[in-house]
């Protein structure tokens, strides 16, 4: 908690928003949003727009907006998303591979575009659900190599072709390193700073 308070002191009040939160609308990212606000930070919640919404998912997102949060919803090109989903289902049995890339990239793209250096993702999946943890530091801060290896399984730069251009893939690719460094963007896992319990998150939300 002391490490988190020190982090907060570095970023609080520096702009219109203090941080970006990778936000799906589910119980875990919503828990992070509420706790960040309770800590005195003003977050911008950033959501990657998937192909299909359930009624419950839409309701959850609407309720969070109504509770006093700003949500930036990136509604991606649905034709490109369908094309990639079909391709990856046929080639790899994984129609959501591009979704995995989008939910990882869009918060950092937003942080760079809006000049917001602090980003929070919910939990470090490899620590909690199994996977290859590349380094102890990656439990705390977002490691791009680990994300590409464990969560996406491919570099989206490779997906151009078959009617998909490099420009079509913009929202699936991490910002260039020089842009990240220029803004000073650093992405952290909330689960590093505080105990993580998905059941407690569900009850709270």
């Amino acid at each position: 908690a002391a490490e988190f308070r020190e982090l907060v002191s570095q970023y609080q009040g520096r702009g219109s928003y203090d941080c970006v939160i990778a936000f799906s609308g589910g119980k875990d990212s919503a828990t992070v949003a509420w706790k960040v606000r309770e800590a005195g930070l003003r977050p911008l919640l950033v959501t990657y727009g998937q192909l299909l919404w359930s009624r419950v998912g839409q309701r959850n997102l609407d309720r969070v907006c109504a509770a006093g949060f700003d949500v930036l919803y990136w509604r991606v090109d649905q034709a490109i998303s369908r094309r990639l989903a079909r391709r990856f289902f046929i080639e790899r049995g994984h129609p959501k591979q591009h979704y995995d890339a989008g939910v990882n990239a869009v918060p950092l793209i937003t942080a760079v575009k809006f000049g917001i250096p602090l980003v929070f993702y919910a939990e470090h999946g490899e620590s909690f659900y199994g996977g290859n943890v590349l380094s102890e530091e990656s439990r705390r801060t977002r490691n791009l190599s680990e994300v590409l290896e464990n969560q996406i399984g491919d570099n989206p730069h490779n997906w151009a072709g078959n009617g998909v251009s490099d420009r079509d893939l913009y929202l699936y690719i991490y910002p260039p390193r020089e842009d990240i460094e220029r803004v000073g963007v650093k992405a952290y896992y909330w689960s590093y700073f505080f105990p993580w319990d998905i059941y407690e998150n569900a009850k709270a939300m």
Side-chain angles (χ1 to χ4, degrees), residues 1 31 50 52 67 69 130 137 150 162 200 203:
T31 296
Q50 63 271 38
L52 301 174
F69 292 93
E137 177 60 24
N150 292 343
N162 298 315
E200 290 300 320
K203 288 199 300 181

Side-chain angles (χ1 to χ4, degrees), residues 21-60:
I21 295 176
F23 183 72
S24 69
K27 66 187 186 309
D28 296 326
S29 58
T31 296
V32 174
W34 253 270
K35 290 186 178 297
V36 162
R37 189 167 68 177
E38 288 172 358
L41 293 173
R42 177 176 169 79
L44 174 63
L45 313 187
V46 177
T47 302
Y48 168 85
Q50 63 271 38
L51 275 172
L52 301 174
W53 272 100
S54 69
R55 283 181 292 179
V56 172
Q58 185 63 62
R59 184 201 67 181
N60 289 349

Side-chain angles (χ1 to χ4, degrees), residues 14-15 17 20 109-118 182-183 185:
R14 290 178 53 174
Y17 299 99
V20 163
I109 292 170
T110 304
V112 168
K113 290 293 185 185
F114 282 75
I116 306 170
L118 178 60
R182 172 177 51 80
V183 177
V185 173

